[in-house]
Amino acid sequence: MDLQQMEGPGSVDPESSPGSAGSQKPQTAEWAERRKQTHLRCEKQRREAINNGYGELKELLPENMVPAGCKQTNASILFRTCDYLKQLEENNQSNEDKLKKKRAKLEGLQMIARQYESMLGDATSSASSPLSLQCQMLRALMETCFQTFANDIDVTDYETLTRTLITWANELDVNALPKVMADAAAASASSNQTRR
């Protein structure tokens, strides 16, 4: 029995058919070569994208984060970038804390200003009351203090503020303040008498 009879009546000789393995070998090799070239091209593009990314990271790093004279490897760029990001996060947190403190101070000062304005409003509505006299005295005291305060206090930073505030408090003429308050009381009393 020959081979054709063993395979059956509908079988075809693999070497004689047009789509046989013998004719597919060149097609398979060509396909494999195209696949290889595509893979190489994609790999090259991937490497270029990674290198471009490292280049951009290197450009974003400040000079103090890049040691002079040392070769920059991709690993060192990544490590320094991580350090820089951590530093930025710490700075951001510190700035947020400072901002919260400044907002709290601002709210406190605004509350004091509102109370002061309210107190002055109450005093001016009833000019003959003892509260009005006290408010006029306090107002004169505050205005006198604020004039020297505004001229002498430097608020550029905390250290300068502290130093100038202590100097201002030491140089403030405390003995003159009762006279300022007495003059305000006298002025208030005379204005009340002229109204009557």
Side-chain angles (χ1 to χ4, degrees):
M1 201 188 246
D2 67 350
L3 184 63
Q4 197 171 17
Q5 288 176 346
M6 284 179 43
E7 291 176 353
S11 65
V12 180
D13 181 17
E15 291 180 13
S16 63
S17 68
S20 68
S23 64
Q24 282 190 0
K25 272 191 178 177
Q27 200 174 22
T28 304
E30 182 182 312
W31 177 79
E33 183 62 28
R34 271 189 286 158
R35 185 172 175 195
K36 178 180 174 183
Q37 292 303 319
T38 302
H39 174 73
L40 291 175
R41 187 173 55 248
C42 290
E43 184 64 22
K44 182 180 177 185
Q45 289 173 348
R46 186 187 70 80
R47 281 193 312 268
E48 286 174 357
I50 290 171
N51 288 334
N52 289 341
Y54 282 122
E56 288 179 25
L57 282 176
K58 185 178 175 182
E59 293 292 321
L60 291 174
L61 287 175
E63 289 183 21
N64 65 346
M65 297 295 290
V66 180
C70 292
K71 183 181 179 204
Q72 290 281 329
T73 64
N74 291 345
S76 69
I77 291 171
L78 286 177
F79 287 129
R80 287 186 177 83
T81 301
C82 289
D83 291 343
Y84 183 57
L85 287 174
K86 288 175 187 174
Q87 180 184 345
L88 288 176
E89 284 178 350
E90 290 171 4
N91 290 347
N92 189 29
Q93 185 62 44
S94 173
N95 288 338
E96 284 180 12
D97 292 343
K98 288 177 186 176
L99 183 61
K100 284 179 186 176
K101 288 177 184 177
K102 289 187 184 283
R103 282 185 179 154
K105 286 181 184 179
L106 176 63
E107 288 174 9
L109 290 172
Q110 287 173 338
M111 185 174 67
I112 290 170
R114 284 192 299 270
Q115 289 174 347
Y116 182 67
E117 289 170 0
S118 173
M119 190 170 65
L120 286 178
D122 293 345
T124 54
S125 64
S126 59
S128 61
S129 73
L131 180 60
S132 170
L133 180 61
Q134 290 173 344
C135 288
Q136 293 299 323
M137 293 170 63
L138 179 61
R139 182 179 192 179
L141 173 70
M142 297 297 282
E143 286 176 356
T144 302
C145 290
F146 184 73
Q147 287 171 357
T148 59
F149 183 86
N151 293 332
D152 297 344
I153 301 299
D154 183 4
V155 294
T156 54
D157 59 26
Y158 182 75
E159 183 180 330
T160 308
L161 171 68
T162 305
R163 186 174 21 85
T164 56
L165 184 61
I166 291 171
T167 305
W168 171 79
N170 289 335
E171 293 177 357
L172 186 64
D173 189 4
V174 179
N175 295 328
L177 295 179
K179 182 180 180 329
V180 169
M181 294 172 68
D183 290 346
S188 177
S190 67
S191 71
N192 286 341
Q193 287 179 352
T194 56
R195 286 186 202 159
R196 291 181 188 166

